[in-house]
Amino acid sequence: MGNDHRFNERTFAMSLHATVTILPPAQNSAPVTLPAPWGEEQPRLDRHIELWLSETARLLGATPLPTDESRRSDVLRLALALAEAERIIKAQQAEIEKLEALSLNDDLTGLFNWRGFNRQVSVGLAEAQRTGIGGVLIYVDIDDFKKINDTYGHAAGNAVLREIAGLLSHKVRQHDSVGRLGGDEFAALLTRTSAAQGFRRVRDIAQALEQVTIVHDGIAISVTASVGAVAFSPDDSPEALLERADRRMYDCKRGRTRLEVA
């Protein structure tokens, strides 16, 4: 267990030490001897236990810590119960965070899904408002993706999606974000960059997307994509920004060009 987990081995040792030294022994029970490592730590553990029980007593409104053995035993039992409750709550929080991450990510590619990417756009715009530095939003749509599925099968289509996801992830910086918005549509949020710098990177991405070929079951499949990109400022809203980038991408597809920027 990590050092930041309060119910760790040392706390367990303290709990056991407190139990055997404070709780009244059972009738006819044999003396309990702590293992050597704990015995050496006994003075420090005693201080920890006293502080631990005093804090529990304070939370219960029973201050100062009772000196009566039976009442101290009650405080100990409550302290152990509180420690266990804290452990359970932390485990539940970790599980909630895990489930939340699953709800924000695309299972196939590992990228953000629509919900997760929208959250990243909101975060990016909030950062732009704080710093005054905007960025660029890119929309990518794989050309004739249905034809790829119909011709080569859905497994090949999935391989294409993973390939495009990997390419986009490789082309962005660590603080940028990439998402699969659904089907064959992807987006990338380039933050902390000027429009000129951002569009240079967009052109690099568009050029890379013109050279994608995957081999599936021994068959080479060439893939192209339409790309639309818009610069954003601190005054943009997530909805308006996503809509503008989407329009640019469809302008690109209708014009049969590979890139549309604005």
Side-chain angles (χ1 to χ4, degrees):
M1 299 185 186
N3 291 334
D4 60 340
H5 203 304
R6 291 178 61 187
F7 199 78
N8 53 24
E9 288 89 349
R10 173 166 289 182
T11 305
F12 177 76
M14 290 163 53
S15 303
L16 179 59
H17 180 62
T19 302
V20 299
T21 56
I22 296 176
L23 291 181
Q27 188 174 9
N28 299 324
S29 61
V32 177
T33 303
L34 290 176
W38 294 351
E40 294 170 2
E41 294 259 327
Q42 183 169 329
R44 183 164 54 170
L45 289 177
D46 285 341
R47 290 194 297 274
H48 279 297
I49 292 166
E50 197 70 15
L51 289 172
W52 181 35
L53 295 180
S54 295
E55 177 62 13
T56 303
R58 185 188 66 78
L59 292 173
L60 297 171
T63 52
L65 179 64
T67 56
D68 176 76
E69 189 175 83
S70 62
R71 293 192 63 198
R72 286 171 67 92
S73 298
D74 291 338
V75 172
L76 171 63
R77 291 188 181 92
L78 288 169
L80 292 171
L82 288 172
E84 177 65 6
E86 182 181 37
R87 185 192 66 79
I88 292 171
I89 290 170
K90 286 188 175 182
Q92 289 174 337
Q93 288 174 336
E95 187 65 22
I96 289 170
E97 290 172 2
K98 179 180 176 182
L99 292 173
E100 185 177 50
L102 290 174
S103 74
L104 298 176
N105 292 93
D106 174 55
D107 288 341
L108 179 65
T109 63
L111 301 178
F112 287 112
N113 59 18
W114 174 265
R115 179 185 176 195
F117 189 77
N118 269 268
R119 177 179 290 189
Q120 293 303 109
V121 171
S122 296
V123 171
L125 288 175
E127 180 184 40
Q129 290 171 353
R130 290 193 307 271
T131 63
I133 304 173
V136 172
L137 178 65
I138 309 170
Y139 249 58
V140 176
D141 184 89
I142 300 173
D143 297 325
D144 300 319
F145 183 68
K146 183 177 184 301
K147 184 177 178 180
I148 292 173
N149 273 335
D150 292 343
T151 303
Y152 303 105
H154 287 282
N158 288 343
V160 168
L161 293 172
R162 285 192 289 265
E163 180 70 18
I164 298 300
L167 185 152
L168 293 173
S169 297
H170 179 71
K171 288 290 184 179
V172 302
R173 299 163 299 178
Q174 187 173 2
H175 57 75
D176 296 329
S177 302
V178 181
R180 180 187 173 207
L181 305 187
D184 56 357
E185 290 191 358
F186 296 81
L189 184 71
L190 311 182
T191 59
R192 309 176 199 172
T193 185
S194 66
Q197 291 173 330
F199 286 143
R200 279 197 294 270
R201 293 172 58 204
V202 171
R203 291 185 180 93
D204 178 56
I205 290 172
Q207 184 178 10
L209 287 169
E210 291 178 2
Q211 304 168 14
V212 176
T213 299
I214 73 162
V215 177
H216 182 76
D217 284 347
I219 301 173
I221 305 172
S222 296
V223 182
T224 61
S226 301
V227 182
V230 295
F232 66 85
S233 70
D235 298 325
D236 272 306
S237 69
E239 296 79 11
L241 179 59
L242 289 162
E243 183 179 348
R244 282 167 48 215
D246 191 40
R247 283 202 306 268
R248 287 298 174 205
M249 184 272 294
Y250 277 106
D251 287 345
C252 170
K253 195 172 284 290
R254 283 193 295 268
R256 297 190 180 279
T257 61
R258 286 286 171 260
L259 174 64
E260 285 283 337
V261 299

